[in-house]
């Protein structure tokens, strides 16, 4: 083989290797831009894709996904990886994350946007949501030998809420962290943690304290399994002084007690709020009061809390209809169940 043939053979071999490497680099990647919205984490929320220079919500019926959320999750590994999150946990419609905008319906293979069409306002669907594991925090190795006794970390004390099954923002089981210690807060059912509740809600920037939920055993929390770290928190706290003014004064370490419950609070800035409207009248400021639960509108049922004017004055303000003129109860529609709000005002109704 002369030098010219050797040169041609080497060139062909390099071209083959280059083509092989380029072909491998694209495997497992995505050719679309994806983000998760509707929560305070980049690793969980409703799926939005970038199309036509806009972010659009994907319908949960896209790509012929299965009804099994955990089975669907296997198809979302590349998305979680692109978001720099951990493994996928669940993929499907989650009512607590139902805030669609500029919805699109996509066909074809999963995560392909070659056949996506905008939906009309009459054809709204539940948005597709994805939950990935939060990325593990890593710390660089120490550059010096640590001392024999490690001092208590000096990080400021903080609170966080573990959301319950409804997934509302500013509600949930309270966890307190101080230095390297963290855990839930125990209280007795007879206690009324109003002062402590206001301090907790204010510290979380969630408004004022509305109420607390009882019945949550100290050994567990009502958080959904896919959102909860299976490892138990190291300690428990108790609040011996309900009139404390700072977090450091409020809590002291304790052990699980018989009959103890984990403090669960609901703050005034819970989201999503109850939506309302007036229908069947001569204008948008007159008619039967209806409220929305997820994607369903139903009549608001009569209750003892609605006998005063407070609820209806608030509803008029919400509809931008000025002052309340009058209100009265009408006969119920036997074909519709309706919704009942046990609070005086709809802005306080965290559960219908």
């Amino acid at each position: 083989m002369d030098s010219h043939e050797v040169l041609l053979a080497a060139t062909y071999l390099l071209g083959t290797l280059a083509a092989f490497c380029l072909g491998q680099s694209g495997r497992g990647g995505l050719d679309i831009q994806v983000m998760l919205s509707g929560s305070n984490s980049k690793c969980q929320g409703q799926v939005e894709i970038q199309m036509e220079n806009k972010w659009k919500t994907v319908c949960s019926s896209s790509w012929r996904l299965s009804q099994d959320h955990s089975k669907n999750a296997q198809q979302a590994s590349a998305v979680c990886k692109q978001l720099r999150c951990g493994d996928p946990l669940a993929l499907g419609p989650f009512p607590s994350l139902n805030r669609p905008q500029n919805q699109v319906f996509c066909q074809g293979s999963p995560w392909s946007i070659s056949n996506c069409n905008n939906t009309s306002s009459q054809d709204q669907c539940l948005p597709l949501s994805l939950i990935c594991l939060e990325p593990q925090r890593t710390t660089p190795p120490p550059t010096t030998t640590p001392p024999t006794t490690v001092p208590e970390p000096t990080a400021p004390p903080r609170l966080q809420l573990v959301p319950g099954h409804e997934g509302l923002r500013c509600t949930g089981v309270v966890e307190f962290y101080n230095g390297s210690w963290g855990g839930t807060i125990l209280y007795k059912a007879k206690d009324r943690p109003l002062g402590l509740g206001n301090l907790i809600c204010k510290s979380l920037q969630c408004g004022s304290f509305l109420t607390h939920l009882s019945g949550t055993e100290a050994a567990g929390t009502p958080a959904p399994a896919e959102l909860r770290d299976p490892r138990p928190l190291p300690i428990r706290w108790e609040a011996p002084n309900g009139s404390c003014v700072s977090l450091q004064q409020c809590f002291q370490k304790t052990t699980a007690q018989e009959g103890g419950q984990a403090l669960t609070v609901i703050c005034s800035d819970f989201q999503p709020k109850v939506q309302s409207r007036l229908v069947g009248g001569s204008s948008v400021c007159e008619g039967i009061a209806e409220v929305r639960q997820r994607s369903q509108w139903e009549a608001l049922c009569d209750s003892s809390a609605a006998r005063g004017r407070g609820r209806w004055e608030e509803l008029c303000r919400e509809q931008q209809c000025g002052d309340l003129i009058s209100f009265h109860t009408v006969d119920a529609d036997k074909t519709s169940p309706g919704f009942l709000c046990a609070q005086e005002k709809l802005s306080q109704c965290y559960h219908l």
Side-chain angles (χ1 to χ4, degrees):
M1 182 180 295
D2 59 22
S3 60
H4 179 70
E5 292 175 333
V6 171
L7 180 59
L8 286 176
T11 303
Y12 174 77
L13 179 59
L14 288 174
T16 303
L17 291 175
F20 177 77
C21 294
L22 289 172
Q24 292 295 313
S25 65
R27 292 189 178 179
L30 289 177
D31 59 352
I32 59 173
Q33 293 297 316
V34 182
M35 74 173 180
L36 304 180
S37 65
S39 76
N40 58 0
S41 169
K42 69 173 184 178
C43 297
Q44 55 183 274
Q46 64 183 24
V47 177
E48 295 191 13
I49 60 176
Q50 193 170 41
M51 292 179 56
E52 302 166 353
N53 294 323
K54 291 183 179 179
W55 286 103
K56 301 191 177 186
T57 306
V58 179
C59 285
S60 59
S61 55
S62 296
W63 301 313
R64 295 184 180 180
L65 294 172
S66 166
Q67 296 297 318
D68 187 339
H69 294 183
S70 60
K71 182 179 179 181
N72 289 342
Q74 300 172 7
Q75 302 176 340
S77 297
V79 179
C80 293
K81 184 176 181 180
Q82 177 175 295
L83 296 171
R84 297 185 178 179
C85 301
D87 293 334
L89 291 176
L91 177 67
F94 294 94
S96 60
L97 296 171
N98 185 12
R99 287 182 284 275
Q101 59 179 359
N102 301 324
Q103 286 188 293
V104 293
F105 172 75
C106 299
Q107 302 184 63
S109 58
W111 308 108
S112 169
I113 61 171
S114 60
N115 193 7
C116 293
N117 298 312
N118 296 324
T119 62
S120 63
S121 57
Q122 292 81 14
D123 297 328
Q124 281 197 344
C125 58
L126 287 174
L128 181 66
S129 298
L130 172 63
I131 299 174
C132 310
L133 281 173
E134 296 291 332
Q136 291 188 351
R137 297 177 181 177
T138 58
T139 55
T143 56
T144 59
T145 304
T148 304
T149 58
V150 179
E152 186 81 7
T154 57
R158 63 182 178 89
L159 294 165
Q160 77 173 26
L161 291 179
V162 179
H165 68 282
E166 294 290 343
L168 297 179
R169 176 183 174 273
C170 290
T171 72
V173 176
V174 184
E175 292 181 350
F176 176 64
Y177 294 84
N178 191 8
S180 60
W181 299 102
T184 52
I185 299 166
L186 305 183
Y187 80 104
K188 297 293 184 179
K190 61 181 177 61
D191 296 336
R192 294 293 181 266
L194 175 59
L196 179 60
N198 278 325
L199 177 62
I200 290 172
C201 291
K202 182 179 178 181
S203 299
L204 293 167
Q205 298 183 341
C206 284
S208 58
F209 173 73
L210 284 183
T211 185
H212 73 282
L213 296 178
S214 60
T216 304
E217 291 299 325
T221 70
E226 66 267 24
L227 297 180
R228 186 70 180 139
D229 189 337
R231 296 172 299 176
L233 293 170
I235 65 166
R236 305 291 178 188
W237 306 92
E238 65 177 356
N241 181 8
S243 60
C244 52
V245 295
S246 70
L247 296 180
Q248 290 168 311
Q249 298 174 351
C250 289
F251 309 112
Q252 66 181 22
K253 299 174 187 177
T254 186
T255 56
Q257 305 166 9
E258 184 177 353
Q261 297 175 334
L263 179 61
T264 304
V265 301
I266 300 170
C267 304
S268 61
D269 288 351
F270 68 88
Q271 292 290 339
K273 293 287 188 182
V274 176
Q275 293 178 276
S276 62
R277 67 181 183 182
L278 296 173
V279 298
S282 58
S283 72
V284 295
C285 294
E286 175 186 350
I288 295 174
E290 289 188 346
V291 293
R292 182 175 182 175
Q293 180 77 331
R294 298 187 176 93
S295 59
Q296 184 179 7
W297 287 94
E298 293 287 356
L300 181 61
C301 297
D302 183 34
S303 69
S304 58
R307 302 297 159 81
R309 296 173 61 89
R311 171 178 295 186
W312 311 111
E313 289 172 346
E314 180 188 66
L315 190 146
C316 286
R317 290 194 301 270
E318 193 71 23
Q319 309 303 318
Q320 299 181 350
C321 289
D323 296 332
L324 172 70
I325 297 177
S326 65
F327 67 94
H328 62 277
T329 305
V330 297
D331 292 335
D333 181 0
K334 302 298 183 182
T335 64
S336 176
F339 289 125
L340 180 68
C341 174
Q343 306 296 323
E344 178 186 2
K345 299 179 180 179
L346 290 177
S347 63
Q348 301 171 328
C349 197
Y350 52 89
H351 180 70
L352 292 176

